[in-house]
Amino acid sequence: MPLESLYNKFADANQLYNFHYHCLLQDILSREEMDNQRTNTKIKALPNRVIGYSFQGTLPLINTRKMFPVTAFAELCWTLSGVRKLDWLQKHTKMWDDFANENNEVEAAYGYRWRHMFGRDQLLDGINALKKDPSDRQIFISAWDNGRDGLGNHWTSNVPCPTSFCVNIINNKVNMTVFLRSSDTIVGLPYDMLMYSLLLIAITIELRYMNPKLSLGRIDAMLSHAHIYAAHYDIAEELIKNAQAIDSDQSEKYHIQDLNFDDAAILWQFMSISEIIKRPDGAMELFKEILQQQRNVSWPPKSNPLKHYKPEIIK
């Protein structure tokens, strides 16, 4: 079958993204089980996989499980603040609590590293560089501390999984590549894709002050080690079964999580980098309003038949 025919099978970018995600899960589950010594668990894994999303009016959401965009947006606001303390984030989600130290801090917090470590504010420097030179190919932002992380040095319970990301502008489209040294495809990957997509939107809006013609391009995640923990095999199997059901039943319930982020939505000024940093509480409230306006219901919709999985977090 020609590639064009395969891609035309899917009506939109979200369907294609979901197809790739569930194929990834199926491929991992088909592999031989092995030990993970550090976590003392069994896993199945694959090396060097890429999963991507081309923005065409929606956000990348996995449609075989309930997803909570407000959780990803709260993580984005906290990350952009550049702090280690969890106090603000805990008003909205407990997602990082398992990695907090006795001071209620995440020692290797990504945002802190982006904005305060390595002698510069990488995030704002990168945005300013693109404003001055949209053709700049050196916008590489790292959360990896070469002096402390990895290489046998287990100094903290949270060494960054998304180690870095690149941003570039090609043909007036803003694109991002995220590098993950390790990807928990059940717990982490769906929300990593969602959070970094929201980050790309915020960066695009910020850059639009310089060039109003800019629009969203692609986000791609490069997974060096894509894995599923033994404790999550059953969840992965259930997600695959849900995906197979979607193939045979194109009813509305399987599209209930599509969020419309069309071109007009990208003009939302509250989602620029500078506005989120200045007013994270205001940005959160406005984002919640947008979700409610989406279908005039709370998010996710009470009628959503998909299951909310709470898989064990493996540290």
Side-chain angles (χ1 to χ4, degrees):
M1 179 184 294
L3 285 177
E4 292 83 3
S5 300
L6 178 61
Y7 276 73
N8 289 337
K9 175 183 177 183
F10 302 97
D12 58 38
N14 219 333
Q15 289 185 17
L16 183 58
Y17 167 66
N18 271 271
F19 173 74
H20 286 163
Y21 174 74
H22 293 99
C23 284
L24 175 64
L25 297 188
Q26 197 165 42
D27 201 3
I28 294 172
L29 285 178
S30 70
R31 302 308 165 107
E32 184 178 346
E33 190 174 58
M34 58 186 183
D35 294 318
N36 182 254
Q37 185 173 327
R38 182 184 62 81
T39 58
N40 193 30
T41 55
K42 299 282 188 181
I43 65 169
K44 293 184 178 183
L46 285 173
N48 304 331
R49 291 300 187 268
V50 178
I51 187 166
Y53 185 79
S54 181
F55 286 89
Q56 295 174 8
T58 60
L59 282 171
L61 291 167
I62 299 304
N63 278 343
T64 53
R65 59 185 287 181
K66 283 187 180 180
M67 295 283 294
F68 298 88
V70 70
T71 298
F73 191 72
E75 183 185 16
L76 174 66
C77 293
W78 174 70
T79 302
L80 291 180
S81 72
V83 301
R84 288 171 167 161
K85 282 277 189 185
L86 284 170
D87 299 22
W88 184 89
L89 185 64
Q90 287 167 333
K91 293 186 294 183
H92 305 281
T93 174
K94 307 296 183 183
M95 64 186 301
W96 280 98
D97 284 14
D98 287 341
F99 298 98
N101 63 17
E102 63 277 7
N103 298 316
N104 201 33
E105 294 180 338
V106 176
E107 292 178 286
Y110 305 160
Y112 180 83
R113 291 182 169 198
W114 295 351
R115 305 207 53 212
H116 301 297
M117 285 185 65
F118 317 124
R120 65 199 304 185
D121 187 330
Q122 298 177 85
L123 182 68
L124 296 190
D125 283 356
I127 290 170
N128 289 333
L130 283 172
K131 287 179 178 179
K132 293 176 182 176
D133 177 8
S135 69
D136 197 326
R137 303 190 303 267
Q138 298 181 7
I139 312 305
F140 178 89
I141 297 171
S142 177
W144 188 260
D145 185 347
N146 286 318
R148 301 184 73 183
D149 293 342
L151 307 179
N153 183 18
H154 302 305
W155 70 276
T156 178
S157 63
N158 175 242
V159 176
C161 292
T163 56
S164 56
F165 65 92
C166 284
V167 180
N168 59 54
I169 301 173
I170 298 175
N171 296 329
N172 278 332
K173 290 187 178 292
V174 187
N175 310 286
M176 178 182 289
T177 305
V178 186
F179 303 93
L180 290 96
R181 62 162 184 86
S182 174
S183 180
D184 179 341
T185 56
I186 298 298
V187 176
L189 183 57
Y191 279 95
D192 285 335
M193 283 293 291
L194 182 53
M195 197 280 276
Y196 279 91
S197 293
L198 290 168
L199 173 61
L200 180 56
I201 291 172
I203 290 172
T204 301
I205 296 171
E206 190 72 32
L207 292 173
R208 273 190 161 180
Y209 293 128
M210 171 268 297
N211 180 0
K213 294 181 180 179
L214 292 179
S215 61
L216 288 167
R218 283 190 59 84
I219 180 168
D220 289 278
M222 301 185 68
L223 318 177
S224 177
H225 191 289
H227 54 268
I228 300 173
Y229 288 102
H232 303 158
Y233 292 164
D234 289 346
I235 295 175
E237 293 280 7
E238 191 168 355
L239 293 179
I240 292 168
K241 287 179 182 177
N242 289 347
Q244 291 167 340
I246 290 174
D247 256 352
S248 57
D249 179 3
Q250 292 295 330
S251 63
E252 174 66 16
K253 69 181 181 179
Y254 293 114
H255 301 282
I256 204 165
Q257 295 190 111
D258 285 351
L259 286 181
N260 180 13
F261 269 62
D262 60 20
D263 196 60
I266 305 307
L267 294 174
W268 295 339
Q269 298 307 306
F270 79 89
M271 269 194 69
S272 70
I273 293 288
S274 55
E275 286 300 309
I276 292 174
I277 290 174
K278 286 179 194 174
R279 288 177 277 273
D281 291 308
M284 280 295 302
E285 290 309 308
L286 287 167
F287 188 74
K288 289 177 183 178
E289 286 180 20
I290 294 298
L291 296 182
Q292 291 173 353
Q293 292 169 10
Q294 187 67 22
R295 294 177 186 271
N296 199 27
V297 291
S298 61
W299 192 269
K302 297 291 190 296
S303 60
N304 190 330
L306 298 175
K307 185 176 178 181
H308 176 211
Y309 299 96
K310 292 185 178 180
E312 175 189 359
I313 295 176
I314 311 294
K315 295 174 65 175

